[in-house]
Structure formats: C-alpha cells, structure tokens
C-alpha cells in the first residue's frame, strides 16, 4: 500500500513536508513521484525521483519543492517551501514497480492523497 501524510492548511509563504510510506508492494522500485490535483483541474506531475536518485520537477515548483527518499524507511518526502495559493491541491504519492533489472514496463501504485490548502 501507499500512504501519504503531512497535508494541512498553511498561509502563503509557509512550508509543509509531505511523507509517503510504500509497503508490501511487489517487485522492485523503479522510481517514485508526487502528483497533485488542484480543485476543478486535472492531475499533474509535481516531482519525480528515479531509482538512481535523479530528481525532476515541474516548472511551477522548481526551486521551491524538494523530493527525497529514505530507502531504509521506504519513505518518500516532498518538502514544500514558499507555498502559494496555486499549490492548493490533493497531493498523491505514486510508486512505480517492476521485476528486478527491468523498469521498461512498470506497475503503478497510487496512494489516496493528502489535502494541502494554502490561504492568502
């Protein structure tokens, strides 16, 4: 299962850290992601960390958000700084899994999401 935590309400300019624990999933890690879905809008990719530690960010969050992982704890993090009202969304953690040594065709596991609300 994939379980997010750490959402909440914060004023613009504030910070939050989201956590995600992935447990009991089959196969091996092929990367993890944070997605978000703002109210009334489509889901969008926020940040990715590959199984080699490479990170990528959406342009809208680059320089403000940091994705990281603690492999020993099977935990993914998203540190969000300088939050803006446009960051208000449900944030989802996603784990890509595949047989060892082959990440060409992954199975994707989603959490249920955690709400982040940024007020002005």
């Amino acid at each position: 299962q994939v379980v997010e935590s750490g959402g909440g309400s914060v004023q613009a300019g504030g910070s939050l850290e989201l956590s995600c624990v992935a447990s009991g999933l089959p196969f091996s890690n092929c990367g993890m992601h944070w997605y978000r879905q703002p109210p009334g809008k489509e889901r969008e990719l926020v940040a990715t960390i590959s199984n080699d530690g490479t990170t990528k960010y959406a342009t809208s969050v680059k320089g403000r958000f940091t994705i990281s992982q603690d492999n020993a704890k099977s935990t993914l993090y998203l540190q969000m700084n300088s939050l803006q009202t446009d960051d208000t969304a449900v944030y989802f953690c996603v784990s890509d899994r595949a047989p060892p040594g082959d990440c060409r065709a992954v199975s994707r596991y989603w959490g249920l999401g955690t709400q982040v609300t940024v007020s002005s």
Side-chain angles (χ1 to χ4, degrees), residues 12-79:
S15 298
L16 280 175
E17 184 179 58
L18 305 183
S19 299
C20 168
V21 176
S23 61
L25 299 178
F27 305 129
S28 298
N29 176 39
C30 284
M32 296 189 73
H33 318 270
W34 287 100
Y35 279 76
R36 69 184 181 186
Q37 187 163 18
K41 297 183 179 180
E42 294 187 353
R43 199 169 292 186
E44 60 184 9
L45 178 62
V46 175
T48 293
I49 186 163
S50 302
N51 56 351
D52 65 358
T54 303
T55 58
K56 295 182 180 179
Y57 297 92
T59 301
S60 60
V61 307
K62 197 172 294 184
R64 300 188 297 121
F65 290 11
T66 302
I67 188 171
S68 62
Q69 62 185 11
D70 183 336
N71 291 326
K73 297 181 180 179
S74 298
T75 303
L76 180 73
Y77 301 97
L78 185 68
Q79 177 66 44

Side-chain angles (χ1 to χ4, degrees), residues 77-88:
Y77 301 97
L78 185 68
Q79 177 66 44
M80 305 184 294
N81 299 327
S82 303
L83 282 162
Q84 304 167 356
T85 54
D86 287 348
D87 295 319
T88 295

